Amino acid sequence: MGTVALAGCTSNNQASSSQAVQAQPETRMFTDSLGREVELPANIERICPSGHTAQQVLLTMAPDKMVGLSQPLSDDQLAIFGEKFKDYPVFGAVLGAKDDLNREAVAAADPQVIIDTGEVKKDTQESLDALQEQLGIPVVFVEAYLEDYGAAYETLGELLGMEERGNELSEYCTCVYDEVKSTMDTIPESERVNMAYLLGENGLNAIAKTSFQAQVIDMVANNVVVVDDVSGKGNGNEISLEQIAVWNPELIIFQKGSIYDTVGSDPAWSGIAAIANNNFYEVPNNPWCWMNNPPTVNQLMGMQWLPRLLYPDKFNNSIEDVTKAYYKTMYNKDLTDAELSEILQGALPR
């Protein structure tokens, strides 16, 4: 079989060689999600993330093309993406809460393009244009939202010459979103679970309704955290226990590192319905928090986990099933039963 395939390939090449060979263009123009026309190399093999959101996305799409990271990977993340990333340079991030991008280190790594992904902010174009001018390296923005990660991966496939991988991830993202949305369309607002997503050392930070960080919760539940000044930051809004008691959520999810392990025995929380009824859970945090921090393609797992936690009878596949499929599709990782159990500890319906 191998000899036949090789012969056929050789034959095609010989036929081509008898024709005049045209020189391939060295560059091409690419229009990013902001409408910016960016001149890029025709073939891209070295890419750099602009920050933490882009790092997550690129690790699913083209890890072998990355020349560095925006932040180091944890041991759990290295177990998924490979020990080689332990020695990669760490550049920092150009956008977000602070600009700590080490421009000299980026230039030394010699990427052919810097890629930014996520939501469009009022200063996104200005910031990326400035970075491109400072470094003399093309900078491309790829818009990526919960409802349309499929389009983002199609764009990345075109950008990187990886159409097959881009289409694979696009189809997966679109299928996941459509399944959850169609299921939620059958559940009236009045029948959705009243819940809160709490975090912080004392559990007194909350992800507020309508915030960019709350996209998954707002899609599948009634987020009781309604505040006047909604924070879009990953640590949410500071609140009081008295306010939580007023909202009295029937279910609470706690971010990793909060008070999940101790809240059940804390008398101060005993009057909250979710705690009194043992209806509280911990958001999985492998390889990143499934709900947010930062809100990007990790939310595809949260979008599958949370509604199956809230409405298990509405789905014909389990949390375990979709978790294995997500890791295989997005990270090319086959989870063992032991790994799956560890990831889902504290996150399954009781």
Side-chain angles (χ1 to χ4, degrees):
M1 289 290 287
T3 303
V4 173
L6 181 59
C9 182
T10 302
S11 174
N12 289 337
N13 287 340
Q14 289 173 340
S16 299
S17 66
S18 66
Q19 302 171 358
V21 178
Q22 286 188 329
Q24 294 297 313
E26 294 183 357
T27 64
R28 60 191 168 105
M29 298 305 294
F30 183 84
T31 303
D32 73 2
S33 300
L34 294 169
R36 298 163 62 250
E37 292 281 340
V38 182
E39 186 175 9
L40 297 173
N43 298 305
I44 296 176
E45 297 298 332
R46 303 187 309 280
I47 62 178
C48 170
S50 67
H52 310 330
T53 298
Q55 172 169 300
Q56 277 200 46
V57 175
L58 296 179
L59 281 169
T60 66
M61 180 71 190
D64 292 339
K65 293 180 184 286
M66 296 174 67
V67 299
L69 303 169
S70 67
Q71 60 185 175
L73 298 183
S74 69
D75 289 342
D76 287 342
Q77 292 162 355
L78 289 170
I80 294 173
F81 300 110
E83 289 293 323
K84 67 179 183 179
F85 284 104
K86 183 182 292 186
D87 299 322
Y88 270 42
V90 176
F91 303 133
V94 71
L95 297 175
K98 60 181 179 178
D99 179 350
D100 63 356
L101 186 74
N102 186 331
R103 287 157 172 77
E104 292 77 12
V106 171
D110 192 28
Q112 294 166 289
V113 61
I114 298 170
I115 301 174
D116 184 44
T117 68
E119 65 172 326
V120 178
K121 300 177 181 177
K122 62 181 181 180
D123 61 345
T124 299
Q125 181 163 336
E126 180 182 349
S127 298
L128 297 185
D129 285 344
L131 180 65
Q132 183 169 284
E133 185 174 349
Q134 288 169 358
L135 293 178
I137 298 170
V139 180
V140 167
F141 177 76
V142 178
E143 193 172 23
Y145 290 100
L146 182 68
E147 65 271 18
D148 205 7
Y149 284 132
Y153 278 114
E154 286 185 6
T155 300
L156 285 168
E158 178 189 354
L159 170 66
L160 300 174
M162 299 178 63
E163 287 83 358
E164 184 175 349
R165 177 61 172 164
N167 289 337
E168 176 190 12
L169 294 179
S170 175
E171 290 172 7
Y172 173 77
C173 295
T174 301
C175 179
V176 165
Y177 182 84
D178 289 350
E179 178 190 28
V180 174
K181 186 178 186 305
S182 62
T183 301
M184 293 312 304
D185 285 345
T186 69
I187 304 175
E189 295 282 346
S190 60
E191 296 179 13
R192 298 188 182 187
V193 174
N194 296 323
M195 66 164 291
Y197 175 22
L198 305 182
L199 52 153
E201 183 179 354
N202 299 310
L204 297 180
N205 287 64
I207 300 300
K209 189 171 185 175
T210 74
S211 76
F212 190 66
Q213 305 278 342
Q215 292 177 91
V216 172
I217 302 172
D218 291 352
M219 180 182 184
V220 305
N222 176 27
N223 185 355
V224 301
V225 181
V226 178
V227 299
D228 293 332
D229 186 16
V230 174
S231 171
K233 296 180 180 180
N235 59 356
N237 285 82
E238 292 186 13
I239 53 173
S240 66
L241 185 54
E242 290 75 17
Q243 180 60 70
I244 296 174
V246 171
W247 289 324
N248 201 25
E250 58 188 295
L251 182 143
I252 295 173
I253 57 174
F254 290 97
Q255 193 175 93
K256 196 80 171 178
S258 189
I259 58 172
Y260 170 78
D261 290 333
T262 59
V263 70
S265 58
D266 189 336
W269 287 76
S270 61
I272 310 296
I275 308 304
N277 296 324
N278 198 32
N279 200 22
F280 58 96
Y281 303 87
E282 188 170 51
V283 181
N285 195 53
N286 180 305
W288 286 276
C289 175
W290 286 5
M291 299 300 295
N292 65 330
N293 261 7
T296 183
V297 292
N298 47 327
Q299 291 180 302
L300 283 165
M301 194 56 246
M303 184 168 53
Q304 297 181 84
W305 163 67
L306 186 57
R308 285 172 175 80
L309 176 69
L310 303 178
Y311 320 104
D313 296 339
K314 295 290 185 179
F315 296 88
N316 58 16
N317 49 10
S318 67
I319 290 172
E320 292 90 342
D321 292 335
V322 295
T323 302
K324 284 185 174 181
Y326 174 87
Y327 277 71
K328 180 62 176 177
T329 304
M330 301 297 285
Y331 307 135
N332 196 29
K333 167 72 173 176
D334 290 304
L335 289 175
T336 66
D337 289 342
E339 289 170 333
L340 181 66
S341 178
E342 183 177 355
I343 289 169
L344 295 176
Q345 188 173 0
L348 294 174
R350 300 190 181 101

